[in-house]
Amino acid sequence: MTYVGRFAPSPSGPLHAGSLATALASWLDARAHDGRWLLRIEDVDTPRTVPGAAEVIMAQLHALGLAWDGEIIWQSRRGDAYQTAFDTLAARGLIYGCGCTRREIADSALRGQTMPGADGERPYPGTCRHGLPEGRQARAWRLRVPDGLEHFEDRWLGPQEQDVAQAVGDFALRRADGLWAYQLAVVVDDAAQGVTDVVRGADLLSSTARQRVLGRLLGLPPLRYMHVPLILDASSGLKLSKQNGAPPIDTGAPLTALKAAWEALGFPPFAAAGIAPFLREATARWAGRFPG
Ligand code: GLU
């Protein structure tokens, strides 16, 4: 099997130290496997998309020597593919319309009808699963999540499991604002791009079981996963993110940025004369650390 990996940034701002660590890990894993590394711009959530951010990310990757293969996919242009997957599931009775507002879902959580999952998220209580209440219109469209534990092996974190029905409940595939949900877009696109391996930040670990369930219902081949540690802000201890003001990568000093990302992933430093020798050596070390 030929390895196909991908980096799938949401263009809500430039790459910072945290997103660079993820990009580097997925690039190294692809190169260590003699695989392809694809770039997908996840601009499905249009209100969160910052105009020009995708182009900035591409220029940053280029300056850092993290070259991608083939055509870039833009999620904002993939509506037909998401609709087809949605229709396939709907034809099998696996989707239903939900009339609940955010407020009503939060209220049922307050009334103790649901237990918070591991990351504090409340599962959808299933209010509209057996039909919309009188006088209600569908706002969002949800997947009927099958019961059962979802198991998978994470190449960084080891064995993982989640009961999606319990922890998350029937999740939305099309949101109340009419946008396609990230969970659907990612599964459809990974399959369309022939992705075999997902390497991404540990903040997405709790989405993986959902994506596996969805992929299986769509008859898609299972993927391998690796969730790398999130880079925390040294002073606040919070995840580095655009929201909490992480500065953009300084592409004027690409080697410094790459070395920092490598060490933030937990690898010991080594000397390198430039970005090309650094990436060659890091690829060899990565292959030694993650054989197979
Ligand atoms: N677009 C997501 C993000 O930037 C990543 C999705 C993924 O790798 O599956 O957080």
Side-chain angles (χ1 to χ4, degrees):
M1 188 180 68
T2 322
Y3 180 112
V4 182
R6 53 41 163 209
F7 178 52
S10 304
S12 52
L15 293 180
H16 51 74
S19 39
L20 174 58
T22 305
L24 178 63
S26 91
W27 189 92
L28 289 172
D29 200 47
R31 296 299 174 233
H33 284 87
D34 286 324
R36 287 164 54 76
W37 190 65
L38 309 179
L39 179 60
R40 180 167 76 231
I41 303 298
E42 298 215 319
D43 56 352
V44 71
D45 189 346
T46 36
R48 283 188 53 218
T49 297
V50 173
E55 289 73 14
V56 172
I57 292 172
M58 290 177 221
Q60 290 177 304
L61 292 172
H62 183 75
L64 293 157
L66 302 179
W68 61 88
D69 300 303
E71 293 284 301
I72 298 173
I73 277 201
W74 298 74
Q75 287 191 327
S76 55
R77 303 177 194 164
R78 303 261 310 141
D80 290 353
Y82 308 146
Q83 184 71 55
T84 303
F86 183 92
D87 292 345
T88 304
L89 296 167
R92 290 168 48 207
L94 290 169
I95 291 180
Y96 63 88
C98 169
C100 298
T101 61
R102 257 173 203 280
R103 183 57 188 264
E104 286 166 330
I105 297 170
D107 285 353
S108 67
L110 284 179
R111 285 196 303 274
Q113 291 172 356
T114 58
M115 292 292 286
D119 48 12
E121 256 179 88
R122 293 279 182 165
Y124 176 66
T127 318
C128 299
R129 193 174 228 246
H130 303 293
L132 284 167
E134 277 280 310
R136 279 306 180 89
Q137 298 262 318
R139 294 162 43 84
W141 296 86
R142 295 183 180 273
L143 179 73
R144 274 178 213 287
V145 172
D147 287 327
L149 261 190
E150 191 63 31
H151 295 272
F152 63 96
E153 183 68 25
D154 187 280
R155 293 175 49 226
W156 190 292
L157 298 167
Q160 304 293 318
E161 60 174 43
Q162 187 187 55
D163 183 328
V164 182
Q166 291 267 320
V168 185
D170 294 339
F171 56 91
L173 301 185
R174 186 158 211 165
R175 306 173 358 176
D177 56 11
L179 294 175
W180 296 107
Y182 154 72
Q183 307 292 353
L184 179 68
V186 100
V187 169
V188 170
D189 289 344
D190 280 339
Q193 292 187 288
V195 168
T196 60
D197 283 75
V198 171
V199 177
R200 61 185 175 190
D203 53 338
L204 290 164
L205 181 63
S206 65
S207 288
T208 302
R210 254 172 282 185
Q211 293 169 11
R212 284 173 52 89
V213 167
L214 202 43
R216 197 164 49 245
L217 292 173
L218 286 166
L220 303 173
L223 310 180
R224 298 201 305 167
Y225 290 92
M226 176 188 274
H227 291 87
V228 301
L230 294 181
I231 311 306
L232 304 180
D233 178 69
S235 53
S236 67
L238 294 172
K239 174 196 158 192
L240 273 192
S241 70
K242 294 153 206 160
Q243 289 74 22
N244 56 40
I249 292 298
D250 175 6
T251 48
L255 183 58
T256 308
L258 288 171
K259 284 183 166 179
W262 173 254
E263 287 172 49
L265 288 166
F267 293 95
F270 60 87
I275 57 174
F278 171 84
L279 288 171
R280 257 196 312 277
E281 177 61 21
T283 303
R285 289 180 183 220
W286 184 279
R289 167 81 174 71
F290 299 107

